[in-house]
Amino acid sequence: GAVVSQHPSWVICKSGTSVKIECRSLDFQATTMFWYRQFPKQSLMLMATSNEGSKATYEQGVEKDKFLINHASLTLSTLTVTSAHPEDSSFYICSARERRTSTDTQYFGPGTRLTVL
Amino acid sequence: QKEVEQNSGPLSVPEGAIASLNCTYSDRVSQSFFWYRQYSGKSPELIMSIYSNGDKEDGRFTAQLNKASQYVSLLIRDSQPSDSATYLCAVNPGSNYQLIWGAGTKLIIKP
């Protein structure tokens, strides 16, 4: 149980284009999903917290107009990187917290590796 | 500022020995503690969660929590080369379900 998927697993795009990443909880309902970014040999950096049906809460320094997050259902959250630039190249990982439990365990998706040319 | 500290390593342990990973946290009201394992190029996977003082065992893994001293540790018995990875300590300091992450300890198990 507690499986989270991400799509695509990797993407290469040209500078200036937008990329959408999907995060799905496959066997549970996720009230809260989190989006992280990780650069090589660095630790996880929380970008935003997404609650179903409401606006995402962004961490300081993360541009909400550049990283659009939509959490339209209890099993799906999307992250859209708008007007991507090479410095946006990174490993993007989502995690989800199961709705029915009172714990704060986060289950991670496999990640999406974004390369912007 | 709420912090979680880990030694970055690398920690080198011979195969078959016990690997001991440590983590300290700054917020005394923290209630939930997690250990995740991350292989290079992969996303983190949950190993253990612990909520009460004392030890919690799961197979070769034992998590230890001492709230008075504000540290949590992970012991890996009978270490295997496949245990070589970065181990991330995460703490929930409050009620908004966000986790505060340590930078991770790189563990190398030498055959």
Side-chain angles (χ1 to χ4, degrees):
Chain A
V3 178
V4 178
S5 71
Q6 267 185 257
H7 178 80
S9 56
W10 59 271
V11 58
I12 302 173
C13 69
K14 293 182 178 180
S15 186
T17 60
S18 294
V19 174
K20 179 184 281 189
I21 302 170
E22 291 187 351
C23 177
R24 293 182 185 272
S25 55
L26 298 185
D27 53 359
F28 67 98
Q29 292 183 326
T31 314
T32 307
M33 288 184 171
F34 303 87
W35 287 96
Y36 294 86
R37 181 167 55 180
Q38 188 174 37
F39 293 105
K41 299 188 185 303
Q42 295 188 21
S43 61
L44 290 173
M45 188 194 82
L46 179 66
M47 299 176 66
T49 301
S50 170
N51 290 300
E52 185 264 338
S54 63
K55 291 184 179 180
T57 302
Y58 291 81
E59 295 300 301
Q60 191 172 6
V62 178
E63 300 175 58
K64 62 179 181 179
D65 294 330
K66 181 170 182 62
F67 298 99
L68 302 178
I69 292 172
N70 184 282
H71 192 162
S73 78
L74 286 171
T75 59
L76 173 65
S77 177
T78 60
L79 167 68
T80 301
V81 183
T82 62
S83 186
H85 291 285
E87 57 266 29
D88 298 323
S89 298
S90 188
F91 191 39
Y92 291 86
I93 317 171
C94 72
S95 70
R97 184 182 73 84
E98 189 172 5
R99 179 188 188 189
R100 63 178 178 85
T101 70
S102 60
T103 69
D104 38 21
T105 304
Q106 292 185 24
Y107 299 96
F108 282 84
T112 297
R113 194 162 301 281
L114 171 63
T115 302
V116 184
L117 302 177
Chain B
Q1 187 173 353
K2 298 169 183 174
E3 294 181 340
V4 175
E5 301 282 347
Q6 292 182 259
N7 189 316
S8 62
L11 174 65
S12 183
V13 174
E15 183 177 358
I18 296 175
S20 178
L21 304 161
N22 299 311
C23 170
T24 59
Y25 58 94
S26 61
D27 195 326
R28 283 191 170 276
V29 301
S30 299
Q31 296 296 320
S32 310
F33 308 86
F34 304 87
W35 283 100
Y36 286 81
R37 176 175 63 196
Q38 186 175 26
Y39 292 113
S40 180
K42 303 294 185 181
S43 67
E45 57 178 317
L46 179 68
I47 296 178
M48 299 272 293
S49 60
I50 186 167
Y51 302 92
S52 303
N53 276 328
D55 295 359
K56 179 181 178 181
E57 187 174 318
D58 184 0
R60 295 188 296 113
F61 299 97
T62 299
Q64 298 175 319
L65 174 61
N66 184 322
K67 290 186 178 181
S69 300
Q70 294 176 239
Y71 84 77
V72 57
S73 62
L74 180 70
L75 302 178
I76 307 175
R77 288 183 299 282
D78 188 24
S79 298
Q80 303 296 311
S82 59
D83 295 326
S84 298
T86 295
Y87 288 79
L88 302 170
C89 173
V91 175
N92 185 343
S95 59
N96 66 357
Y97 303 114
Q98 286 186 1
L99 298 179
I100 307 299
W101 294 86
T105 298
K106 185 174 183 178
L107 175 66
I108 298 173
I109 305 299
K110 292 190 172 182

